[in-house]
């Protein structure tokens, strides 16, 4: 029997293909197919078509994952800077799942490492990539400011993982939950945290997988690989030559001892380019002073008008209703909420010495990419060292001191 496709539309019109009448008849005649042979197709801005096998489809269709369609990836940026940058955490999580697949296949293809990664570990890597941001609050990272930094979206993700696997019906998910004292789910949570200490068992030569989803060692991981490409595609801040860092991940390999991922000396300058790109997006979008002003208004409104939601976490009954539009609804009747609908009324003052109730002082210090990129000793390299290009690390921080008046 040839492989078949479960062709169902993704919610909110994300473009999964629909079966033709002939395909529907064929699927009906064939009856239920083995889970491993069926998959769902989703169109994506960055990756084109992403294939989701049925066990991943079950996770994606879970209410906790569907909630991510209501969480803006860039918080308030689409309100105040770039309306077209209105993509959601849902899109990024699917893209990170695909990026993890691509990266894992590449390092295996490029390596002579003979120890085969067990299938349950491979599934754990893919699912950790898919669920790494499932614990985000409304407006993504803005919610951390609302909670005065007493909120960690990764820690908050752990209970989401448990709830999804508690509801699991697919045999492959049940196996990750139940086999080996739940080692599969434990590995997923450890990978989300990027913390090998979370495990109660040794990785036995496969510690390199901790460099894929959340890389504490050098900061190169598929989370960054996806969000930099995805955000810039909508923001259109950087050109192709500034985004030329795919080979970092596609030419990497597993170290001979299986303990980490090694990158080519040839790609050293591309690693710096990645951190330069990240820095540019922080300066021109993520931490732009106009966006920072909007965040300050949002934080003040939520803390004043809806303090009851600030302490909600993923293990609370109200978590599924904690999303962007719900919060905006709670604060919409306050006069200050008008500045989200009319951001042009937030006007920069020519001097930073403004004072008064209607003045917002904004200060930001954004580290230079040469500081954010870890020292060379944090990275593992392979290949011809003579191909390592010199870089001039920018160590200077970008400082914003602005004042805005609310008209």
């Amino acid at each position: 029997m040839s492989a078949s496709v479960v062709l169902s539309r993704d919610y909110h019109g994300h473009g999964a293909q629909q079966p033709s009448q002939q395909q529907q008849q064929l699927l009906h005649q064939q009856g239920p197919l083995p889970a491993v042979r069926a998959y769902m197709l989703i169109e994506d801005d960055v990756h084109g078509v992403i294939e989701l096998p049925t066990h991943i489809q079950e996770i994606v269709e879970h209410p906790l994952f569907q909630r991510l369609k209501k969480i803006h990836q860039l918080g308030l940026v689409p309100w105040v800077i770039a309306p077209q940058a209105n993509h959601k955490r849902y899109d990024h999580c699917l893209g990170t799942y695909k990026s993890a697949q691509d990266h894992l296949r590449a390092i295996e293809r490029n390596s002579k490492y003979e120890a085969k990664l067990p299938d349950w570990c491979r599934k754990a890597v893919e699912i950790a990539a898919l669920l790494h941001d499932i614990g985000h609050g409304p407006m993504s990272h803005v919610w951390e400011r609302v909670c005065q930094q007493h909120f960690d979206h990764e820690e908050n993700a752990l209970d989401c993982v448990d709830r999804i696997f508690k509801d699991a019906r697919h045999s492959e998910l049940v196996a990750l939950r139940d086999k080996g004292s739940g080692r599969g789910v434990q590995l997923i949570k450890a990978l989300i945290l990027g913390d090998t200490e979370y495990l109660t068992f040794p990785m036995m030569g496969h510690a390199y997988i901790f460099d894929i989803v959340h890389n504490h060692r050098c900061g190169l991981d598929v989370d960054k690989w996806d969000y930099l490409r995805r955000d810039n595609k909508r923001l259109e801040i950087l050109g192709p030559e500034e985004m030329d860092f795919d080979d970092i991940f596609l030419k990497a390999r597993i170290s001979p001892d299986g303990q980490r991922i090694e990158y080519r000396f040839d790609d050293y300058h591309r690693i710096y380019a990645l951190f330069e790109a990240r820095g540019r997006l922080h300066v021109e979008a993520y931490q732009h002073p106009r966006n920072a002003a909007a965040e300050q208004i949002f934080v003040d409104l939520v803390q004043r008008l809806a303090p009851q939601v600030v302490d909600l976490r993923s293990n609370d009954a109200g978590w599924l209703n904690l999303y962007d539009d719900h919060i905006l609804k709670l604060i919409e009747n306050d006069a200050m909420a008008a500045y989200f609908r009319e951001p042009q009324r937030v006007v920069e003052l020519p001097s930073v010495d403004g004072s008064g109730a209607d003045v917002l002082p904004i200060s930001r210090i954004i580290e230079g990419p040469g500081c954010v990129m870890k020292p060379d000793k944090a990275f593992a390299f392979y290949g011809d060292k003579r191909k390592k290009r010199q870089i001039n690390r920018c160590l200077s921080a970008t400082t914003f001191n602005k004042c805005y008046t609310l008209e």
Side-chain angles (χ1 to χ4, degrees):
M1 184 185 298
S2 60
S4 298
V5 183
V6 173
L7 294 148
S8 59
R9 179 166 296 280
D10 183 23
Y11 303 111
H12 290 194
H14 280 69
Q17 299 178 18
Q18 292 293 304
S20 67
Q21 185 175 5
Q22 182 180 5
Q23 288 171 325
Q24 289 176 350
Q25 291 173 348
L26 178 60
L27 290 172
H28 178 73
Q29 292 168 2
Q30 291 176 343
L33 290 170
V36 72
R37 306 294 293 279
Y39 55 89
M40 174 182 178
L41 303 181
I42 292 181
E43 276 187 39
D44 180 72
D45 280 355
V46 173
H47 301 279
V49 175
I50 299 177
E51 297 180 2
L52 303 182
T54 52
H55 70 286
I56 296 297
Q57 184 180 347
E58 180 179 319
I59 295 174
V60 168
E61 291 176 346
H62 194 282
L64 285 168
F65 196 87
Q66 289 293 306
R67 173 185 166 275
L68 297 180
K69 290 180 176 176
K70 303 175 185 179
I71 308 294
H72 282 80
Q73 169 85 359
L74 299 187
L76 293 163
V77 167
W79 277 267
V80 297
I81 295 178
Q84 73 277 13
N86 61 351
H87 50 300
K88 308 301 191 295
R89 282 284 154 186
Y90 174 89
D91 307 306
H92 168 55
C93 285
L94 285 171
T96 305
Y97 163 78
K98 179 62 166 60
S99 298
Q101 287 185 320
D102 292 345
H103 189 29
L104 189 50
R105 288 168 184 159
I107 61 176
E108 290 175 330
R109 182 174 62 246
N110 299 334
S111 305
K112 296 180 180 178
Y113 189 64
E114 294 182 358
K116 180 174 170 50
L117 185 66
D119 189 57
W120 69 272
C121 291
R122 182 182 303 277
K123 288 186 174 68
V125 170
E126 294 176 352
I127 293 172
L130 182 70
L131 298 180
H132 78 287
D133 273 350
I134 198 168
H136 263 294
M139 297 295 179
S140 292
H141 289 291
V142 183
W143 199 248
E144 293 155 12
R145 292 194 61 210
V146 170
C147 299
Q148 299 178 318
Q149 307 306 320
H150 298 305
F151 178 88
D152 185 314
H153 74 275
E154 289 168 348
E155 291 286 346
N156 198 51
L158 303 187
D159 187 71
C160 293
V161 172
D162 285 335
R163 290 174 64 183
I164 287 171
F165 276 88
K166 181 180 178 181
D167 296 338
R169 294 294 179 267
H170 195 287
S171 59
E172 294 187 25
L173 300 181
V174 171
L176 288 169
R177 182 190 68 198
D178 295 346
K179 284 189 176 179
S181 300
R183 63 184 182 181
V185 171
Q186 186 184 141
L187 179 55
I188 289 166
K189 293 193 283 189
L191 290 167
I192 289 173
L193 296 175
D195 184 4
T196 56
E197 297 298 317
Y198 190 87
L199 297 177
T200 58
F201 55 88
M203 281 309 302
M204 300 299 291
H206 299 292
Y208 66 88
I209 64 175
F210 276 83
D211 291 349
I212 296 175
V213 178
H214 183 170
N215 188 343
H216 270 308
R217 287 192 271 211
C218 69
L220 295 176
D221 50 44
V222 295
D223 176 24
K224 284 189 182 69
W225 191 24
D226 183 81
Y227 82 66
L228 291 175
R229 290 179 292 174
R230 186 171 304 280
D231 295 353
N232 188 63
K233 190 173 183 67
R234 293 297 186 98
L235 293 166
E236 298 181 328
I237 290 172
L238 303 168
E241 69 285 352
E242 297 165 293
M243 296 291 293
D244 178 25
F245 45 72
D246 288 357
D247 278 354
I248 296 171
F249 302 93
L250 297 178
K251 302 295 184 181
R253 74 176 191 184
I254 303 166
S255 64
D257 61 2
Q259 293 305 297
R260 61 182 310 176
I261 293 175
E262 297 178 332
Y263 309 94
R264 295 191 308 172
F265 282 113
D266 311 48
D267 294 322
Y268 179 67
H269 65 289
R270 292 188 175 93
I271 294 172
Y272 185 64
L274 180 149
F275 287 98
E276 279 190 311
R278 178 189 175 278
R280 283 279 302 281
L281 293 181
H282 270 273
V283 169
E284 298 189 33
Y286 308 156
Q287 297 192 63
H288 188 285
R290 187 172 295 279
N291 190 53
E295 288 185 3
Q296 186 168 318
I297 295 171
F298 180 82
V299 169
D300 291 343
L301 282 172
V302 176
Q303 290 178 346
R304 176 162 53 87
L305 299 175
Q308 72 278 7
V309 302
V310 173
D311 293 327
L312 283 178
R313 297 295 183 266
S314 58
N315 58 355
D316 294 316
W319 178 254
L320 284 176
N321 292 322
L322 197 66
Y323 52 82
D324 296 2
D325 285 348
H326 177 67
I327 299 300
L328 291 173
K329 190 75 174 172
L330 292 176
I331 64 177
E332 68 178 354
N333 292 328
D334 192 277
M336 294 292 287
Y339 296 107
F340 300 124
R341 297 188 294 271
E342 303 173 86
Q344 71 276 9
R345 293 174 57 193
V346 182
V347 179
E348 183 178 345
L349 293 173
S351 169
V352 297
D353 297 326
S355 60
D358 61 345
V359 172
L360 284 178
I362 299 297
S363 296
R364 282 285 189 277
I365 299 175
I366 304 171
E367 285 188 300
C371 295
V372 177
M373 177 180 167
K374 292 188 178 183
D376 290 2
K377 64 182 180 181
F379 300 86
F381 291 101
Y382 79 96
D384 188 346
K385 191 173 183 178
R386 293 172 298 180
K387 294 185 178 180
K388 178 184 176 184
R389 296 190 198 175
Q390 291 298 311
I391 61 171
N392 293 316
R393 286 181 179 250
C394 176
L395 304 177
S396 301
T398 299
T399 303
F400 290 129
N401 287 296
K402 303 276 187 181
C403 270
Y404 292 89
T405 186
L406 306 178
E407 294 186 345

